[in-house]
Amino acid sequence: MTDLPPGWEYATLGEIAETSLGKMLDRGKGTGRHLRPYLRNVNVQWGRIDVSDVLRMDIPPEQQERYRIRSGDLLVCEGGDIGRCAIWHGDGGYMAFQKALHRVRPLGGIDSRYLRLFLEHLSVSGKLAAFATGSTIKHLPQEQLRKLAIPLPPLAEQHRIIAALTDTIDHYHRGSTALEVVGSRSDLLWRSRLRQLRYEASASGGAVYRLGDVADTSLGKMLDAGKSFGVETPYLRNINVRWRRVDLSEVSTVPLGDEERRKFALRSGDLLVCEGGEPGRCAIWRGPDGMTFQKALHRVRVRPGVIVEWLALMVEEAVRSKRTMHLQTGSTIKHISQEKIRQLEVVIPDIETQLGLVRQWDVFESSVNALNQMRGRAVRQGEALQNSLLAEAFAGRLVPQDPDDEPAAELLARIRAERSATIPKQRTRARRTPKELAAPPTRVTGDDYQQETLPL
């Protein structure tokens, strides 16, 4: 760990705050008589709590205080975007929290806002990932949360840091939200323009054809390492085909004989359409000869009278408008077979109209791409500024130190003393009355310590 300024100390989160996980949702145990509102992971965003969609669950009266959120509590996501957190500023009404959230209550007058900002610093700097568990879906267990080392300044300096950071970080999050809105509206505009192209093509006398009527289609090579032989030949997979571009950053090879290389060869101008993954995602191959393609891709070669750029737009329009859903098969992983892709309906106007509409699209696409590039630069610049400010703050370089401040060591000593004085006494087992002894036996079940009656 780096050196801290005078008056600062390191402490684990478990030393300076009480933490607990929320209530596990178990509909099978609910009676419906004690429904109470509760917050989920999705309600907790960076620096704010979204109460536009709050659910209710059954919480018995004896458990309600255990899962109550008080004003000033810090709520931290246990999964998803681990560490994402916000402070609850309730109006005094009852609110609980689900097990996917940690409730953090600072001790000794430590400000929740300071801990929230520090967790954001750990997240944006990538340091929080070291405390996560899980290979695919990451989680931040309570034990790991309590191990987080917190650089703790004097209370007065905590307040100066909060004052210096809060407005800036809040502005950053509002800006990030606005940029997300720009991105979503850009997507809506994109889909709207594709639909407009289809309408203009129809209005210009375009007829509806099935794709199999205007192009030849075929699936690529089925890979079987044990049966493949010949010259190592590059081939494209589903992941290489993105929307409107072919990604050549990771191209594999497979041994192919002369006949297979001819059969599965790509020509410049071939349209590649994903068979699975995101069925229908497509791009035009503009590369040199010598590339082949895997069975997870359809190769579409237009016939005379059709421009491949126009056909690519019509395929994308169908996918974006969800007009390919009825062609997909598979309950979990969706696919579009060769038979189905040939049934896809596209509007084909005359050549001159196709060329004109493609030119219009090129101008539109250039404008949207420029907007998205500007948005991307703004996002990166905002993230860099956020990271820099937070790093300076928690290294003690953002605001000046005051030698008259009470050192953090004294604050920690006071917290330890208060915690030692409030350690609960071990419960003693109460003697049961004859009436209690005669009652049916019970057993404790589940994480919520509810009893169920056993048969006599």
Side-chain angles (χ1 to χ4, degrees):
M1 293 183 180
T2 58
D3 294 333
L4 293 176
W8 289 48
E9 296 287 337
Y10 274 111
T12 64
L13 184 65
E15 290 178 300
I16 61 174
E18 296 175 350
T19 71
S20 61
L21 281 167
K23 179 171 173 57
M24 179 180 288
L25 187 61
D26 190 342
R27 293 183 176 85
K29 295 180 181 179
T31 64
R33 295 194 299 269
H34 307 291
L35 294 176
R36 296 293 181 267
Y38 71 96
L39 298 179
R40 299 164 289 156
N41 183 295
V42 70
N43 298 114
V44 177
Q45 302 300 314
W46 280 115
R48 66 182 179 87
I49 293 179
D50 180 5
V51 293
S52 62
D53 183 19
V54 174
L55 304 183
R56 300 168 75 86
M57 67 173 159
D58 201 311
I59 306 178
E62 65 273 14
Q63 294 182 6
Q64 289 180 14
E65 189 58 36
R66 175 182 174 186
Y67 297 116
R68 177 189 291 271
I69 306 172
R70 301 175 188 165
S71 183
D73 283 347
L74 178 64
L75 296 170
V76 182
C77 292
E78 185 265 350
D81 184 5
I82 62 167
R84 190 177 67 221
C85 56
I87 299 168
W88 173 247
H89 297 290
D91 57 3
Y94 184 86
M95 182 65 74
F97 65 115
Q98 194 184 8
K99 193 177 181 182
L101 294 171
H102 299 279
R103 182 186 63 198
V104 177
R105 285 179 176 167
L107 303 170
I110 293 173
D111 200 310
S112 299
R113 292 174 295 174
Y114 180 82
L115 297 182
R116 185 197 81 72
L117 290 167
F118 181 70
L119 281 171
E120 187 162 348
H121 164 59
L122 290 183
S123 177
V124 299
S125 64
K127 297 176 182 177
L128 194 59
F131 293 85
T133 60
S135 56
T136 305
I137 302 176
K138 298 296 183 182
H139 295 274
L140 181 61
Q142 187 168 206
E143 179 183 356
Q144 293 293 90
L145 178 70
R146 289 171 172 168
K147 290 180 181 178
L148 294 179
I150 313 292
L152 198 65
L155 282 177
E157 189 170 347
Q158 289 181 37
H159 296 149
R160 292 195 293 273
I161 291 172
I162 292 167
L165 279 179
T166 299
D167 284 347
T168 302
I169 296 300
D170 286 348
H171 281 307
Y172 163 74
H173 284 300
R174 284 195 290 272
S176 296
T177 301
L179 289 172
E180 289 176 5
V181 170
V182 170
S184 63
R185 289 181 177 174
S186 173
D187 291 339
L188 288 173
L189 180 62
W190 190 277
R191 291 196 294 270
S192 176
R193 182 63 183 126
L194 283 170
R195 288 194 297 270
Q196 187 179 0
L197 283 181
R198 189 172 192 269
Y199 172 79
E200 290 180 15
S202 297
S204 300
V208 176
Y209 295 89
R210 292 188 175 185
L211 189 141
D213 296 330
V214 297
D216 298 317
T217 69
S218 61
L219 282 168
K221 163 74 175 174
M222 178 180 287
L223 295 187
D224 188 338
K227 295 182 179 179
S228 297
F229 62 92
V231 178
E232 287 290 335
T233 307
Y235 70 94
L236 298 179
R237 297 169 290 163
N238 183 293
I239 62 170
N240 297 114
V241 176
R242 316 312 300 171
W243 279 115
R244 296 169 305 286
R245 67 183 178 88
V246 178
D247 181 3
L248 298 178
S249 61
E250 186 179 343
V251 176
S252 301
T253 62
V254 63
L256 294 179
D258 292 343
E259 183 179 348
E260 286 184 314
R261 287 203 306 276
R262 285 192 296 270
K263 180 179 179 181
F264 300 113
L266 293 175
R267 301 175 191 165
S268 181
D270 283 344
L271 179 64
L272 293 167
V273 182
C274 292
E275 184 264 351
E278 186 181 1
R281 190 176 66 224
C282 60
I284 301 170
W285 172 247
R286 295 297 189 188
D289 294 341
M291 183 65 73
T292 60
F293 65 111
Q294 191 187 10
K295 191 179 180 182
L297 295 171
H298 298 281
R299 181 185 62 196
V300 179
R301 283 182 176 164
V302 296
R303 296 172 187 165
V306 181
I307 299 171
V308 67
E309 291 84 358
W310 174 254
L311 188 62
L313 288 172
M314 288 296 92
V315 172
E316 182 172 355
E317 187 279 329
V319 175
R320 302 286 195 190
S321 300
K322 300 188 183 301
R323 291 191 298 102
T324 59
M325 300 298 291
H326 70 289
L327 301 176
Q328 298 179 15
T329 58
S331 56
T332 306
I333 302 176
K334 298 297 184 180
H335 298 270
I336 298 183
S337 67
Q338 187 168 202
E339 177 187 358
K340 295 293 185 181
I341 198 71
R342 288 171 174 166
Q343 297 175 19
L344 175 62
E345 292 185 342
V346 292
V347 177
I348 306 296
D350 60 74
I351 286 286
E352 290 303 319
T353 301
Q354 292 179 48
L355 286 170
L357 293 175
V358 167
R359 283 194 293 268
Q360 290 180 29
W361 175 264
D362 289 342
V363 174
F364 168 80
E365 184 178 10
S366 297
S367 300
V368 173
N369 287 342
L371 174 64
N372 286 333
Q373 288 172 4
M374 292 173 58
R375 183 172 64 89
R377 284 195 297 270
V379 168
R380 291 190 294 273
Q381 291 170 356
E383 289 173 346
L385 176 61
Q386 176 200 29
N387 201 354
S388 176
L389 280 172
L390 291 171
E392 290 293 296
F394 297 109
R397 296 189 294 265
L398 186 64
V399 299
Q401 279 82 46
D402 187 338
D404 293 331
D405 290 343
E406 178 192 57
E410 295 183 22
L411 170 62
L412 288 173
R414 189 164 60 250
I415 291 174
R416 294 186 186 109
E418 290 174 357
R419 298 193 82 166
S420 297
T422 57
I423 294 176
K425 296 181 180 179
Q426 187 173 3
R427 294 182 180 177
T428 57
R429 193 168 187 148
R431 295 182 61 187
R432 293 182 292 176
T433 64
K435 181 178 180 180
E436 289 172 326
L437 291 172
T442 61
R443 68 183 176 198
V444 175
T445 61
D447 292 339
D448 297 330
Y449 303 99
Q450 297 190 16
Q451 290 184 330
E452 68 175 21
T453 302
L454 298 177
L456 292 173

